Amino acid sequence: MYICVCNAISERQVQEAIAQGAADLGDLQAQLGIATCCGQCADTATDYLPGGRYAVEHVSEAVAPERVVQAPLLSSVEIRRVA
Ligand code: FES
């Protein structure tokens, strides 16, 4: 999906730029040229930045594997005891 139609910049390009350190719209403009023509894509691009509504996916993907906690599955008997 294109985020910036004027400059043919895709969602993937925006995500990669953010993963590589782009932290604000100015960084995306400098690195990709996004929102440098009509500017209609600025709000959508900003939504991918940290704190934006699409940023949650990036945060969860960025969690280091060693920080993921594996919880044991409970048997049906154990679930009844807990409930
Ligand atoms: S859609 Fe991005 S500058 Fe026009």
Side-chain angles (χ1 to χ4, degrees):
M1 176 179 85
Y2 284 110
I3 301 295
C4 178
V5 176
C6 292
N7 298 306
I9 299 168
S10 69
E11 176 182 40
R12 184 180 184 127
Q13 288 174 286
V14 172
Q15 291 170 329
E16 288 174 359
I18 293 168
Q20 293 172 4
D24 57 27
L25 183 60
D27 289 343
L28 293 176
Q29 288 174 312
Q31 292 179 28
L32 301 173
I34 201 163
T36 58
C37 189
C38 74
Q40 290 295 310
C41 58
D43 287 344
T44 302
T46 302
D47 284 339
Y48 284 86
L49 291 166
R53 67 178 156 163
Y54 301 133
V56 173
E57 295 175 35
H58 306 297
V59 170
S60 64
E61 291 173 5
V63 173
E66 65 272 9
R67 298 186 68 191
V68 175
V69 176
Q70 295 289 328
L73 295 176
L74 299 177
S75 68
S76 59
V77 173
E78 291 169 321
I79 291 172
R80 276 188 232 120
R81 279 191 214 142
V82 174

